[in-house]
Structure formats: structure tokens, C-alpha cells
PDB file of all heavy atoms in Angstrom:
ATOM      1  N   GLY P   1     -31.156  44.643  23.022  1.00 98.00           N
ATOM      2  CA  GLY P   1     -31.812  45.068  24.253  1.00 98.00           C
ATOM      3  C   GLY P   1     -32.507  44.043  24.985  1.00 98.00           C
ATOM      4  O   GLY P   1     -33.010  44.236  26.062  1.00 98.00           O
ATOM      5  N   ASP P   2     -32.433  42.697  24.461  1.00 98.00           N
ATOM      6  CA  ASP P   2     -33.145  41.698  25.160  1.00 98.00           C
ATOM      7  C   ASP P   2     -32.288  41.178  26.351  1.00 98.00           C
ATOM      8  O   ASP P   2     -31.087  41.015  26.221  1.00 98.00           O
ATOM      9  CB  ASP P   2     -33.476  40.459  24.227  1.00 98.00           C
ATOM     10  CG  ASP P   2     -34.658  40.917  23.149  1.00 98.00           C
ATOM     11  OD1 ASP P   2     -35.294  41.958  23.409  1.00 98.00           O
ATOM     12  OD2 ASP P   2     -34.695  40.192  22.112  1.00 98.00           O
ATOM     13  N   PHE P   3     -33.069  40.692  27.384  1.00 98.00           N
ATOM     14  CA  PHE P   3     -32.444  40.127  28.599  1.00 98.00           C
ATOM     15  C   PHE P   3     -33.040  38.708  28.574  1.00 98.00           C
ATOM     16  O   PHE P   3     -34.171  38.475  28.734  1.00 98.00           O
ATOM     17  CB  PHE P   3     -32.734  40.927  29.782  1.00 98.00           C
ATOM     18  CG  PHE P   3     -32.395  40.222  31.078  1.00 98.00           C
ATOM     19  CD1 PHE P   3     -31.023  39.871  31.462  1.00 98.00           C
ATOM     20  CD2 PHE P   3     -33.394  39.981  32.052  1.00 98.00           C
ATOM     21  CE1 PHE P   3     -30.645  39.393  32.519  1.00 98.00           C
ATOM     22  CE2 PHE P   3     -32.943  39.356  33.302  1.00 98.00           C
ATOM     23  CZ  PHE P   3     -31.672  39.020  33.562  1.00 98.00           C
ATOM     24  N   LEU P   4     -32.173  37.690  28.507  1.00 98.00           N
ATOM     25  CA  LEU P   4     -32.511  36.274  28.363  1.00 98.00           C
ATOM     26  C   LEU P   4     -31.955  35.422  29.446  1.00 98.00           C
ATOM     27  O   LEU P   4     -30.812  35.587  29.747  1.00 98.00           O
ATOM     28  CB  LEU P   4     -32.039  35.811  26.972  1.00 98.00           C
ATOM     29  CG  LEU P   4     -32.462  36.675  25.806  1.00 98.00           C
ATOM     30  CD1 LEU P   4     -31.303  37.405  25.302  1.00 98.00           C
ATOM     31  CD2 LEU P   4     -33.214  35.791  24.746  1.00 98.00           C
ATOM     32  N   LEU P   5     -32.783  34.538  29.973  1.00 98.00           N
ATOM     33  CA  LEU P   5     -32.420  33.640  31.145  1.00 98.00           C
ATOM     34  C   LEU P   5     -32.050  32.323  30.842  1.00 98.00           C
ATOM     35  O   LEU P   5     -32.755  31.688  29.837  1.00 98.00           O
ATOM     36  CB  LEU P   5     -33.575  33.677  32.149  1.00 98.00           C
ATOM     37  CG  LEU P   5     -33.988  34.901  32.807  1.00 98.00           C
ATOM     38  CD1 LEU P   5     -34.971  34.713  33.847  1.00 98.00           C
ATOM     39  CD2 LEU P   5     -32.780  35.682  33.313  1.00 98.00           C
ATOM     40  N   THR P   6     -31.119  31.692  31.415  1.00 98.00           N
ATOM     41  CA  THR P   6     -30.818  30.271  31.463  1.00 98.00           C
ATOM     42  C   THR P   6     -30.533  29.849  32.917  1.00 98.00           C
ATOM     43  O   THR P   6     -29.459  29.846  33.466  1.00 98.00           O
ATOM     44  CB  THR P   6     -29.551  29.961  30.617  1.00 98.00           C
ATOM     45  OG1 THR P   6     -29.608  30.586  29.299  1.00 98.00           O
ATOM     46  CG2 THR P   6     -29.258  28.530  30.514  1.00 98.00           C
ATOM     47  N   PRO P   7     -31.683  29.629  33.604  1.00 98.00           N
ATOM     48  CA  PRO P   7     -31.465  29.236  35.097  1.00 98.00           C
ATOM     49  C   PRO P   7     -30.587  27.920  35.122  1.00 98.00           C
ATOM     50  O   PRO P   7     -30.521  27.072  34.209  1.00 98.00           O
ATOM     51  CB  PRO P   7     -32.888  28.967  35.502  1.00 98.00           C
ATOM     52  CG  PRO P   7     -33.690  29.802  34.533  1.00 98.00           C
ATOM     53  CD  PRO P   7     -33.062  29.670  33.290  1.00 98.00           C
ATOM     54  N   GLY P   8     -30.098  27.768  36.386  1.00 98.00           N
ATOM     55  CA  GLY P   8     -29.282  26.536  36.591  1.00 98.00           C
ATOM     56  C   GLY P   8     -29.941  25.316  36.350  1.00 98.00           C
ATOM     57  O   GLY P   8     -31.142  25.168  36.635  1.00 98.00           O
ATOM     58  N   TRP P   9     -29.174  24.333  35.743  1.00 98.00           N
ATOM     59  CA  TRP P   9     -29.575  23.015  35.356  1.00 98.00           C
ATOM     60  C   TRP P   9     -30.664  23.083  34.291  1.00 98.00           C
ATOM     61  O   TRP P   9     -31.262  21.953  34.079  1.00 98.00           O
ATOM     62  CB  TRP P   9     -29.982  22.288  36.507  1.00 98.00           C
ATOM     63  CG  TRP P   9     -29.757  20.838  36.503  1.00 98.00           C
ATOM     64  CD1 TRP P   9     -30.575  19.694  36.651  1.00 98.00           C
ATOM     65  CD2 TRP P   9     -28.368  20.126  36.289  1.00 98.00           C
ATOM     66  NE1 TRP P   9     -29.824  18.422  36.522  1.00 98.00           N
ATOM     67  CE2 TRP P   9     -28.481  18.814  36.234  1.00 98.00           C
ATOM     68  CE3 TRP P   9     -27.101  20.693  36.170  1.00 98.00           C
ATOM     69  CZ2 TRP P   9     -27.403  17.803  36.096  1.00 98.00           C
ATOM     70  CZ3 TRP P   9     -26.016  19.811  36.035  1.00 98.00           C
ATOM     71  CH2 TRP P   9     -26.237  18.533  35.928  1.00 98.00           C
ATOM     72  N   TYR P  10     -30.690  24.079  33.468  1.00 98.00           N
ATOM     73  CA  TYR P  10     -31.532  24.010  32.221  1.00 98.00           C
ATOM     74  C   TYR P  10     -30.570  23.731  31.033  1.00 98.00           C
ATOM     75  O   TYR P  10     -29.589  24.391  30.836  1.00 98.00           O
ATOM     76  CB  TYR P  10     -32.208  25.379  31.971  1.00 98.00           C
ATOM     77  CG  TYR P  10     -33.349  25.658  32.747  1.00 98.00           C
ATOM     78  CD1 TYR P  10     -33.678  25.260  34.089  1.00 98.00           C
ATOM     79  CD2 TYR P  10     -34.450  26.487  32.306  1.00 98.00           C
ATOM     80  CE1 TYR P  10     -34.694  25.578  34.742  1.00 98.00           C
ATOM     81  CE2 TYR P  10     -35.499  26.814  32.939  1.00 98.00           C
ATOM     82  CZ  TYR P  10     -35.629  26.390  34.333  1.00 98.00           C
ATOM     83  OH  TYR P  10     -36.714  26.596  35.121  1.00 98.00           O
ATOM     84  N   PHE P  11     -30.923  22.758  30.192  1.00 98.00           N
ATOM     85  CA  PHE P  11     -30.123  22.413  29.026  1.00 98.00           C
ATOM     86  C   PHE P  11     -30.242  23.703  28.169  1.00 98.00           C
ATOM     87  O   PHE P  11     -31.396  24.229  27.949  1.00 98.00           O
ATOM     88  CB  PHE P  11     -30.638  21.254  28.263  1.00 98.00           C
ATOM     89  CG  PHE P  11     -30.041  20.001  28.822  1.00 98.00           C
ATOM     90  CD1 PHE P  11     -30.932  19.062  29.564  1.00 98.00           C
ATOM     91  CD2 PHE P  11     -28.789  19.597  28.712  1.00 98.00           C
ATOM     92  CE1 PHE P  11     -30.368  17.834  29.925  1.00 98.00           C
ATOM     93  CE2 PHE P  11     -28.205  18.506  29.099  1.00 98.00           C
ATOM     94  CZ  PHE P  11     -29.020  17.544  29.829  1.00 98.00           C
ATOM     95  N   HIS P  12     -29.156  24.184  27.452  1.00 97.00           N
ATOM     96  CA  HIS P  12     -29.219  25.197  26.557  1.00 97.00           C
ATOM     97  C   HIS P  12     -28.116  25.175  25.492  1.00 97.00           C
ATOM     98  O   HIS P  12     -27.136  24.629  25.646  1.00 97.00           O
ATOM     99  CB  HIS P  12     -29.089  26.586  27.330  1.00 97.00           C
ATOM    100  CG  HIS P  12     -27.820  26.644  28.226  1.00 97.00           C
ATOM    101  ND1 HIS P  12     -27.823  25.910  29.385  1.00 97.00           N
ATOM    102  CD2 HIS P  12     -26.778  27.279  28.082  1.00 97.00           C
ATOM    103  CE1 HIS P  12     -26.596  26.132  29.918  1.00 97.00           C
ATOM    104  NE2 HIS P  12     -25.781  26.985  29.125  1.00 97.00           N
ATOM    105  N   GLY P  13     -28.536  25.561  24.286  1.00 97.00           N
ATOM    106  CA  GLY P  13     -27.461  25.817  23.248  1.00 97.00           C
ATOM    107  C   GLY P  13     -27.888  27.027  22.333  1.00 97.00           C
ATOM    108  O   GLY P  13     -28.998  27.538  22.568  1.00 97.00           O
ATOM    109  N   HIS P  14     -27.072  27.289  21.406  1.00 97.00           N
ATOM    110  CA  HIS P  14     -27.370  28.489  20.619  1.00 97.00           C
ATOM    111  C   HIS P  14     -27.152  28.085  19.112  1.00 97.00           C
ATOM    112  O   HIS P  14     -26.224  27.283  18.866  1.00 97.00           O
ATOM    113  CB  HIS P  14     -26.478  29.675  20.905  1.00 97.00           C
ATOM    114  CG  HIS P  14     -26.123  29.870  22.447  1.00 97.00           C
ATOM    115  ND1 HIS P  14     -27.136  30.054  23.345  1.00 97.00           N
ATOM    116  CD2 HIS P  14     -25.004  29.811  23.091  1.00 97.00           C
ATOM    117  CE1 HIS P  14     -26.616  30.170  24.482  1.00 97.00           C
ATOM    118  NE2 HIS P  14     -25.236  29.972  24.387  1.00 97.00           N
ATOM    119  N   HIS P  15     -28.006  28.688  18.198  1.00 97.00           N
ATOM    120  CA  HIS P  15     -27.724  28.543  16.815  1.00 97.00           C
ATOM    121  C   HIS P  15     -27.990  29.834  16.089  1.00 97.00           C
ATOM    122  O   HIS P  15     -28.869  30.647  16.293  1.00 97.00           O
ATOM    123  CB  HIS P  15     -28.550  27.383  16.190  1.00 97.00           C
ATOM    124  CG  HIS P  15     -30.092  27.610  16.246  1.00 97.00           C
ATOM    125  ND1 HIS P  15     -30.807  28.056  15.157  1.00 97.00           N
ATOM    126  CD2 HIS P  15     -30.910  27.467  17.322  1.00 97.00           C
ATOM    127  CE1 HIS P  15     -32.059  27.987  15.569  1.00 97.00           C
ATOM    128  NE2 HIS P  15     -32.150  27.897  16.876  1.00 97.00           N
ATOM    129  N   ASN P  16     -27.066  30.235  15.148  1.00 97.00           N
ATOM    130  CA  ASN P  16     -27.027  31.346  14.410  1.00 97.00           C
ATOM    131  C   ASN P  16     -27.587  31.019  12.904  1.00 97.00           C
ATOM    132  O   ASN P  16     -27.013  30.167  12.288  1.00 97.00           O
ATOM    133  CB  ASN P  16     -25.620  31.960  14.303  1.00 97.00           C
ATOM    134  CG  ASN P  16     -25.616  33.389  13.564  1.00 97.00           C
ATOM    135  OD1 ASN P  16     -26.492  33.709  12.934  1.00 97.00           O
ATOM    136  ND2 ASN P  16     -24.436  33.988  13.804  1.00 97.00           N
ATOM    137  N   GLU P  17     -28.622  31.683  12.637  1.00 97.00           N
ATOM    138  CA  GLU P  17     -29.436  31.424  11.407  1.00 97.00           C
ATOM    139  C   GLU P  17     -28.994  32.395  10.273  1.00 97.00           C
ATOM    140  O   GLU P  17     -29.681  32.426   9.220  1.00 97.00           O
ATOM    141  CB  GLU P  17     -30.964  31.445  11.604  1.00 97.00           C
ATOM    142  CG  GLU P  17     -31.375  30.327  12.434  1.00 97.00           C
ATOM    143  CD  GLU P  17     -30.967  28.954  11.873  1.00 97.00           C
ATOM    144  OE1 GLU P  17     -31.441  28.785  10.665  1.00 97.00           O
ATOM    145  OE2 GLU P  17     -30.524  28.062  12.641  1.00 97.00           O
ATOM    146  N   THR P  18     -28.002  33.109  10.450  1.00 97.00           N
ATOM    147  CA  THR P  18     -27.611  34.188   9.435  1.00 97.00           C
ATOM    148  C   THR P  18     -26.134  33.966   9.049  1.00 97.00           C
ATOM    149  O   THR P  18     -25.488  33.186   9.524  1.00 97.00           O
ATOM    150  CB  THR P  18     -27.781  35.661  10.100  1.00 97.00           C
ATOM    151  OG1 THR P  18     -26.654  35.863  10.956  1.00 97.00           O
ATOM    152  CG2 THR P  18     -29.041  35.786  10.746  1.00 97.00           C
ATOM    153  N   ASP P  19     -25.830  34.785   8.075  1.00 97.00           N
ATOM    154  CA  ASP P  19     -24.463  34.778   7.532  1.00 97.00           C
ATOM    155  C   ASP P  19     -23.503  35.735   8.563  1.00 97.00           C
ATOM    156  O   ASP P  19     -22.237  35.586   8.292  1.00 97.00           O
ATOM    157  CB  ASP P  19     -24.391  35.290   6.222  1.00 97.00           C
ATOM    158  CG  ASP P  19     -25.045  34.413   5.170  1.00 97.00           C
ATOM    159  OD1 ASP P  19     -25.100  33.153   5.343  1.00 97.00           O
ATOM    160  OD2 ASP P  19     -25.576  34.995   4.137  1.00 97.00           O
ATOM    161  N   GLN P  20     -24.098  36.500   9.269  1.00 96.00           N
ATOM    162  CA  GLN P  20     -23.377  37.446  10.110  1.00 96.00           C
ATOM    163  C   GLN P  20     -23.013  36.862  11.515  1.00 96.00           C
ATOM    164  O   GLN P  20     -23.930  36.138  11.974  1.00 96.00           O
ATOM    165  CB  GLN P  20     -24.075  38.772  10.212  1.00 96.00           C
ATOM    166  CG  GLN P  20     -24.332  39.401   8.859  1.00 96.00           C
ATOM    167  CD  GLN P  20     -23.108  39.623   8.045  1.00 96.00           C
ATOM    168  OE1 GLN P  20     -22.157  40.172   8.699  1.00 96.00           O
ATOM    169  NE2 GLN P  20     -23.014  39.259   6.874  1.00 96.00           N
ATOM    170  N   PRO P  21     -21.984  37.179  12.079  1.00 97.00           N
ATOM    171  CA  PRO P  21     -21.645  36.755  13.492  1.00 97.00           C
ATOM    172  C   PRO P  21     -22.482  37.649  14.462  1.00 97.00           C
ATOM    173  O   PRO P  21     -22.951  38.692  14.075  1.00 97.00           O
ATOM    174  CB  PRO P  21     -20.131  37.024  13.690  1.00 97.00           C
ATOM    175  CG  PRO P  21     -19.899  38.184  12.641  1.00 97.00           C
ATOM    176  CD  PRO P  21     -20.723  37.860  11.476  1.00 97.00           C
ATOM    177  N   MET P  22     -22.502  37.199  15.712  1.00 97.00           N
ATOM    178  CA  MET P  22     -23.236  38.079  16.687  1.00 97.00           C
ATOM    179  C   MET P  22     -22.418  37.766  18.081  1.00 97.00           C
ATOM    180  O   MET P  22     -21.952  36.798  18.346  1.00 97.00           O
ATOM    181  CB  MET P  22     -24.649  37.608  16.804  1.00 97.00           C
ATOM    182  CG  MET P  22     -25.508  38.288  17.831  1.00 97.00           C
ATOM    183  SD  MET P  22     -27.226  37.840  17.713  1.00 97.00           S
ATOM    184  CE  MET P  22     -27.881  38.346  19.317  1.00 97.00           C
ATOM    185  N   ALA P  23     -22.344  38.979  18.816  1.00 97.00           N
ATOM    186  CA  ALA P  23     -21.775  39.014  20.165  1.00 97.00           C
ATOM    187  C   ALA P  23     -22.804  39.376  21.170  1.00 97.00           C
ATOM    188  O   ALA P  23     -23.644  40.327  20.838  1.00 97.00           O
ATOM    189  CB  ALA P  23     -20.464  39.733  20.105  1.00 97.00           C
ATOM    190  N   TRP P  24     -22.624  38.863  22.317  1.00 98.00           N
ATOM    191  CA  TRP P  24     -23.479  39.372  23.495  1.00 98.00           C
ATOM    192  C   TRP P  24     -22.723  39.106  24.716  1.00 98.00           C
ATOM    193  O   TRP P  24     -21.589  38.736  24.776  1.00 98.00           O
ATOM    194  CB  TRP P  24     -24.742  38.578  23.497  1.00 98.00           C
ATOM    195  CG  TRP P  24     -24.690  37.084  23.603  1.00 98.00           C
ATOM    196  CD1 TRP P  24     -24.600  36.397  24.865  1.00 98.00           C
ATOM    197  CD2 TRP P  24     -24.686  36.108  22.551  1.00 98.00           C
ATOM    198  NE1 TRP P  24     -24.374  35.110  24.594  1.00 98.00           N
ATOM    199  CE2 TRP P  24     -24.458  34.773  23.260  1.00 98.00           C
ATOM    200  CE3 TRP P  24     -24.660  36.208  21.344  1.00 98.00           C
ATOM    201  CZ2 TRP P  24     -24.363  33.616  22.554  1.00 98.00           C
ATOM    202  CZ3 TRP P  24     -24.623  35.012  20.483  1.00 98.00           C
ATOM    203  CH2 TRP P  24     -24.427  33.736  21.221  1.00 98.00           C
ATOM    204  N   ILE P  25     -23.345  39.603  25.862  1.00 98.00           N
ATOM    205  CA  ILE P  25     -22.613  39.360  27.069  1.00 98.00           C
ATOM    206  C   ILE P  25     -23.271  38.259  27.948  1.00 98.00           C
ATOM    207  O   ILE P  25     -24.525  38.143  27.786  1.00 98.00           O
ATOM    208  CB  ILE P  25     -22.365  40.532  28.021  1.00 98.00           C
ATOM    209  CG1 ILE P  25     -23.707  41.061  28.619  1.00 98.00           C
ATOM    210  CG2 ILE P  25     -21.495  41.669  27.256  1.00 98.00           C
ATOM    211  CD1 ILE P  25     -23.558  42.180  29.647  1.00 98.00           C
ATOM    212  N   ASP P  26     -22.506  37.436  28.619  1.00 98.00           N
ATOM    213  CA  ASP P  26     -23.034  36.381  29.494  1.00 98.00           C
ATOM    214  C   ASP P  26     -22.666  36.768  30.952  1.00 98.00           C
ATOM    215  O   ASP P  26     -21.743  37.445  31.163  1.00 98.00           O
ATOM    216  CB  ASP P  26     -22.289  35.063  29.213  1.00 98.00           C
ATOM    217  CG  ASP P  26     -22.548  34.456  27.887  1.00 98.00           C
ATOM    218  OD1 ASP P  26     -23.720  34.725  27.327  1.00 98.00           O
ATOM    219  OD2 ASP P  26     -21.905  33.562  27.490  1.00 98.00           O
ATOM    220  N   GLY P  27     -23.635  36.622  31.789  1.00 98.00           N
ATOM    221  CA  GLY P  27     -23.437  36.687  33.247  1.00 98.00           C
ATOM    222  C   GLY P  27     -23.816  35.499  34.000  1.00 98.00           C
ATOM    223  O   GLY P  27     -24.827  34.785  33.628  1.00 98.00           O
ATOM    224  N   LEU P  28     -22.982  35.024  34.820  1.00 98.00           N
ATOM    225  CA  LEU P  28     -23.202  33.874  35.739  1.00 98.00           C
ATOM    226  C   LEU P  28     -22.628  34.052  37.146  1.00 98.00           C
ATOM    227  O   LEU P  28     -21.880  34.933  37.345  1.00 98.00           O
ATOM    228  CB  LEU P  28     -22.450  32.629  35.052  1.00 98.00           C
ATOM    229  CG  LEU P  28     -22.948  32.133  33.734  1.00 98.00           C
ATOM    230  CD1 LEU P  28     -22.192  32.751  32.567  1.00 98.00           C
ATOM    231  CD2 LEU P  28     -22.764  30.562  33.606  1.00 98.00           C
TER     232      LEU P  28
END
């Protein structure tokens, strides 16, 4: 349910801290 922002020209990466995969949607 969370809505998360990555505005233009912001450095960003992701890390999964669990054994389980995760999927979400990206919008650009």
C-alpha cells in the first residue's frame, strides 16, 4: 500500500533483506 518517490536525478537502488522475492509496480 505504500507509494514511494524517486524524483528525477536522485540516486537510487534497492536491496531485499529477506529470503522471499518481492514485486511492485514502477511508474515513470
Side-chain angles (χ1 to χ4, degrees):
D2 292 346
F3 171 62
L4 307 106
L5 297 187
T6 307
W9 214 235
Y10 282 33
F11 277 113
H12 55 283
H14 320 302
H15 61 105
N16 187 342
E17 293 300 311
T18 75
D19 296 327
Q20 301 302 313
M22 183 171 162
W24 60 86
I25 67 164
D26 292 338
L28 293 90

